Amino acid sequence: MVKHTVTLIPGDGIGPEVVAAARRVLEATGVEFQWEVANAGASALEKEGSLLPESLLESIRKNKVALKGPTTTPVGKGFRSVNVALRRALDLYACLRPCRSYPGIISRYENINIIVVRENTEDLYAGIEFAMGSPEAEKLLSFISQNQGIEVRKDSGISIKLISETGSRKIARFAFEYARANGRKKVTAVHKANIMKFSDGLFLKVARDVASAYPDIEFEDRLVDNLCAQLVQQSHPFDILVLPNLYGDIVSDLCAGLVGGLGVAPGANIGDEIAVFEPTHGSAPKYTGLNKVNPMATILSGVMMLRYINEGVAADRLEAAVAEVVAEGKSVTYDLKPGRSSATAVGTSEMADAIIMKLSEGASRQN
Ligand code: NAD
């Protein structure tokens, strides 16, 4: 049996609890793991003096695969997001977020099965910003006035939106390759090219170009505002959505909302050789240490990781075990109970126990 060495990042807030639950459940599949535990975020800052220690990056570069809990970025102390920095440092250019309905989860919608593919490194997240009133902002505004003839308000702050042909090509190819490898039928490129002709327009042009190399996969495009309305109204069948960074961030939370909320939405950040799997939700500091929140998003991120490391059978068994526990609705956390009531809910680790029990029942049914 192959033993997989994986970097395990507990993270901050509720991170250590949901990651511990996911680790136990993953081990219960029978797949052998060697975990290399490394810190990131506020806990790493406290222990190692850096939000993103070099030792953590080295561990992920070596192992190529990581399972990560959410991290806290201290607010107002000049820190940029840990996640943005991690994705950039390892060139994890694709953020993959499957949004799927599981029977038993309370939601306004059912039968949703949408894959969100978000570009992870460019767009307004490039971090190129100029503060209102700074000499750099003034210089830029006078350049704009001279070159474009547009007088911008002098008290403007500026964030630059950068979309490259290279970045757009990589993410569009990723979406189409994912479609092929996973039996998906259609890719929808999402943009606002009618307004931002040189950034979103470029993204759309490249997506169309890439689509022509995949005649077996249907291609269409949507304006992001129209897409949001159609998603909420469920008036159009979407399959895979490919989006620039900012729209991808917003639309993936919208899609998580369609299938029952952040507690159930898994994710992965993927590059050419490295992948970091993590839930969509954050570190929810107010629930720290309460053994209360839902481990499902992290466990399903683990399912995605199992598929990535070619442990597809274990991934299917684990996903089925999660689905059974959720469908029964007995051993689930408060967020999956009617009215979000804690009265009959179980804790994070008890929900993991119930999933482990289902795994062993499934295994004995097969024997
Ligand atoms: P959050 O996702 O941490 O929490 C928002 C709310 O969502 C919670 O109050 C809770 O009601 C619900 N929720 C989240 N996870 C849940 C779970 N597993 N089970 C049940 N309910 C759950 O978002 P926030 O409060 O905006 O951010 C808190 C911190 O997390 C910030 O420091 C932010 O930077 C960080 N963050 C980290 C990541 C990441 O590491 N990938 C992602 C988003 C936010």
Side-chain angles (χ1 to χ4, degrees):
M1 193 185 285
V2 193
K3 194 167 188 169
H4 302 277
T5 307
V6 172
T7 302
L8 190 72
I9 308 162
D12 304 313
I14 56 168
E17 296 162 61
V18 288
V19 167
R23 174 183 175 161
R24 283 201 295 124
V25 167
L26 284 163
E27 285 172 351
T29 63
V31 173
E32 278 202 58
F33 290 101
Q34 183 172 328
W35 305 102
E36 232 175 72
V37 178
N39 284 310
S43 55
L45 185 67
E46 202 183 302
K47 288 186 198 138
E48 297 170 55
S50 163
L51 284 172
L52 204 60
E54 193 47 43
S55 54
L56 165 99
L57 295 174
E58 265 169 37
S59 169
I60 304 176
R61 285 195 188 103
K62 172 170 66 74
N63 298 328
K64 314 260 186 253
V65 185
L67 181 64
K68 175 183 170 297
T71 43
T72 300
T73 302
V75 177
K77 298 193 183 146
F79 295 114
R80 290 215 172 269
S81 158
V82 180
N83 290 303
V84 173
L86 179 69
R87 290 162 197 168
R88 187 117 26 96
L90 300 172
D91 194 19
L92 305 174
Y93 60 85
C95 179
L96 186 62
R97 288 184 174 164
C99 295
R100 192 188 142 184
S101 306
Y102 288 89
I105 293 186
I106 302 153
S107 163
R108 289 171 191 273
Y109 302 93
E110 47 191 33
N111 298 323
I112 307 257
N113 190 347
I114 295 172
I115 306 283
V116 179
V117 176
R118 163 187 173 191
E119 202 289 323
N120 234 353
T121 60
E122 303 195 323
D123 198 352
L124 282 155
Y125 288 69
I128 306 172
E129 298 201 279
F130 302 94
M132 178 193 86
S134 64
E136 294 81 7
E138 281 176 21
K139 227 166 151 180
L140 196 49
L141 294 183
S142 78
F143 174 84
I144 292 168
S145 159
Q146 280 164 24
N147 285 272
Q148 309 246 312
I150 298 172
E151 289 306 324
V152 182
R153 287 192 181 122
K154 296 278 178 265
D155 56 351
S156 298
I158 305 167
S159 303
I160 303 266
K161 171 163 167 136
L162 282 179
I163 292 197
S164 73
E165 179 173 359
T166 308
S168 303
R169 197 167 292 282
K170 277 169 85 165
I171 198 69
R173 275 209 193 112
F174 182 93
F176 280 97
E177 286 296 326
Y178 183 90
R180 260 192 194 159
N182 292 278
R184 293 279 177 155
K185 303 274 178 280
K186 184 169 71 176
V187 172
T188 306
V190 183
H191 60 88
K192 191 83 183 165
N194 54 337
I195 306 294
M196 284 158 280
K197 298 187 171 35
F198 298 137
S199 49
D200 285 22
L202 178 61
F203 179 82
L204 176 59
K205 179 176 159 298
V206 172
R208 280 195 179 125
D209 186 38
V210 171
S212 65
Y214 296 83
D216 47 320
I217 311 289
E218 190 188 335
F219 175 74
E220 63 180 12
D221 71 277
R222 279 287 180 288
L223 293 171
V224 63
D225 40 352
N226 183 11
L227 171 92
C228 291
Q230 291 189 341
L231 280 171
V232 170
Q233 292 181 317
Q234 285 295 295
S235 56
H236 183 79
F238 292 108
D239 189 349
I240 294 182
L241 306 176
V242 61
L243 314 91
N245 209 341
L246 182 63
Y247 308 146
D249 187 19
I250 298 165
V251 168
S252 54
D253 273 28
L254 191 162
C255 288
L258 297 180
V259 296
L262 288 175
V264 304
N269 298 297
I270 302 180
D272 286 331
E273 287 183 0
I274 297 174
V276 176
F277 296 84
E278 63 171 345
T280 299
H281 63 74
S283 55
K286 68 178 178 198
Y287 293 118
T288 305
L290 299 181
N291 187 38
K292 184 172 169 89
V293 295
N294 193 343
M296 185 170 161
T298 313
I299 292 172
L300 290 178
S301 303
V303 168
M304 294 171 75
M305 182 179 84
L306 286 171
R307 297 211 167 96
Y308 184 84
I309 59 175
N310 292 321
E311 296 286 359
V313 175
D316 291 347
R317 281 180 52 228
L318 178 51
E319 190 175 11
V322 172
E324 266 186 71
V325 167
V326 165
E328 279 179 11
K330 218 163 50 177
S331 302
V332 295
T333 46
Y334 75 101
D335 55 312
L336 301 186
K337 289 286 187 181
R340 297 171 75 79
S341 157
S342 296
T344 57
V346 302
T348 311
S349 72
E350 289 72 28
M351 185 165 169
D353 292 341
I355 294 168
I356 291 169
M357 184 73 80
K358 288 288 174 208
L359 270 173
S360 65
E361 284 169 15
S364 55
R365 269 201 302 271
Q366 285 194 330
N367 288 338

